[in-house]
Amino acid sequence: MRQQNQSKKKVSLFITCLVDNFFPQVGESMVKVLRKLGVEVDFPVDQTCCGQPAFNSGFQHDAKALAKRFLSIFQDDNCYVVCPSGSCTTMVKIFYRELLKEESRGLELADRLASRTYEFSAFLTNVLHVEDVGASYSGKVTYHDSCHLLRELRIRDEPRKLIKSVKGIDFVEMNLHDACCGFGGTFSIMFPGVSISMLEEKIISIVESGADTIVSTDMGCLMHIEGAMSRRKIPVKVMHIAELLASEL
């Protein structure tokens, strides 16, 4: 486990709406892992939604207002911004530029923020250069690629390196690991039939893998998957990667 010079790193946690309201243990696990690695962690208490639901629903004016608020809260250029979601990270790193493209000052701030904003697994592997955080977990684990993390941020190997480094894990790749689970935020509300059909394929892949635990980087996907599996009494545990990496620390 590599920890040298990590005390110089400072992180502001960017906690998503789902984690804040329903899965606080994910944020707590992030803090546990980052502090274990010697990182100074801050939580800006004034933060709110990044604006993604409004942006995806076509309410660009409302999304822009939230983007500007986010920029004012996370303005410290000496801090990395780390988020437990590929989806919300994508909003900040990529779509803020689109929202603010006609405002030179806003675009400059968005670019600076994007350069120091990371999804959690990418921050550990690409900034801290850590793959083994010292975690232990006994189980057969498979991994679900969330769409924004894989297709927008191009992050595929980073979470797998972290998972495979956890002591005691039997990692298995499932079929359709990179297929959408059908959540997509408002997509699952606007197109429930298509969403359920996509979820069916994902659950079949999970069950056929033989894994007893499914790990991902986005609680939206995991909430969607867990809801269906619990109703069918499928005994597969769902974990955010931060929870897995905080195991036995």
Side-chain angles (χ1 to χ4, degrees):
M1 179 169 46
R2 183 176 174 181
Q3 296 188 37
Q4 63 268 31
N5 298 323
Q6 307 299 18
S7 59
K8 296 180 180 178
K9 300 288 192 300
K10 294 172 61 179
V11 159
S12 285
L13 294 181
F14 162 25
I15 297 300
T16 71
C17 298
L18 284 180
V19 170
D20 184 37
N21 287 288
F22 302 114
F23 309 103
Q25 72 277 10
V26 173
E28 292 167 359
S29 295
M30 288 177 67
V31 173
K32 190 175 182 180
V33 172
L34 290 168
R35 286 182 174 167
K36 170 77 175 183
L37 297 173
V39 176
E40 183 179 338
V41 181
D42 173 55
F43 176 74
V45 295
D46 292 334
Q47 64 181 287
T48 55
C49 175
C50 63
Q52 185 182 194
F55 180 76
N56 290 344
S57 301
F59 298 102
Q60 306 296 286
H61 177 77
D62 295 331
K64 184 184 288 188
L66 286 168
K68 289 182 175 179
R69 188 173 193 279
F70 192 98
L71 287 168
S72 69
I73 291 170
F74 290 93
Q75 60 180 310
D76 184 356
D77 283 336
N78 294 314
C79 271
Y80 291 97
V81 177
V82 179
C83 177
S85 164
S87 178
C88 296
T89 301
T90 296
M91 183 67 197
V92 173
K93 288 184 74 71
I94 296 177
F95 297 127
Y96 275 11
R97 296 196 82 257
E98 182 175 332
L99 280 172
L100 300 167
K101 60 185 177 185
E102 296 178 354
E103 300 182 18
S104 58
R105 177 58 176 165
L107 186 58
E108 177 192 342
L109 292 174
D111 282 340
R112 281 162 48 188
L113 177 62
S115 70
R116 55 188 174 82
T117 297
Y118 290 86
E119 180 276 330
F120 180 62
S121 69
F123 181 75
L124 296 184
T125 54
N126 297 335
V127 178
L128 299 184
H129 304 293
V130 171
E131 294 180 7
D132 181 0
V133 304
S136 299
Y137 183 79
S138 179
K140 190 171 185 178
V141 175
T142 193
Y143 174 73
H144 162 66
D145 290 282
S146 69
C147 290
H148 280 98
L149 190 77
L150 181 66
R151 286 176 253 283
E152 296 284 356
L153 299 179
R154 308 291 182 185
I155 295 172
R156 182 191 183 282
D157 296 333
E158 289 86 339
R160 288 176 169 80
K161 290 176 182 176
L162 291 163
I163 293 169
K164 291 176 181 176
S165 295
V166 174
K167 185 179 179 183
I169 273 193
D170 176 12
F171 179 77
V172 57
E173 197 80 82
M174 65 171 151
N175 293 328
L176 301 179
H177 55 80
D178 56 353
C180 177
C181 67
F183 178 59
T186 55
F187 175 85
S188 61
I189 298 171
M190 297 173 67
F191 306 101
V194 179
S195 172
I196 291 171
S197 178
M198 297 168 79
L199 180 59
E200 291 282 352
E201 290 188 329
K202 179 62 68 172
I203 289 177
I204 290 171
S205 294
I206 294 168
V207 172
E208 288 181 346
S209 75
D212 55 49
T213 305
I214 176 170
V215 172
S216 191
T217 56
D218 279 71
M219 285 313 304
C221 304
L222 291 174
M223 180 177 67
H224 192 53
I225 293 168
E226 183 178 34
M229 291 198 303
S230 65
R231 287 191 291 274
R232 300 173 194 189
K233 303 187 185 307
I234 297 173
V236 176
K237 189 173 182 179
V238 166
M239 295 182 80
H240 188 277
I241 192 169
E243 295 178 274
L244 176 69
L245 298 180
S247 301
E248 304 296 329
L249 287 185

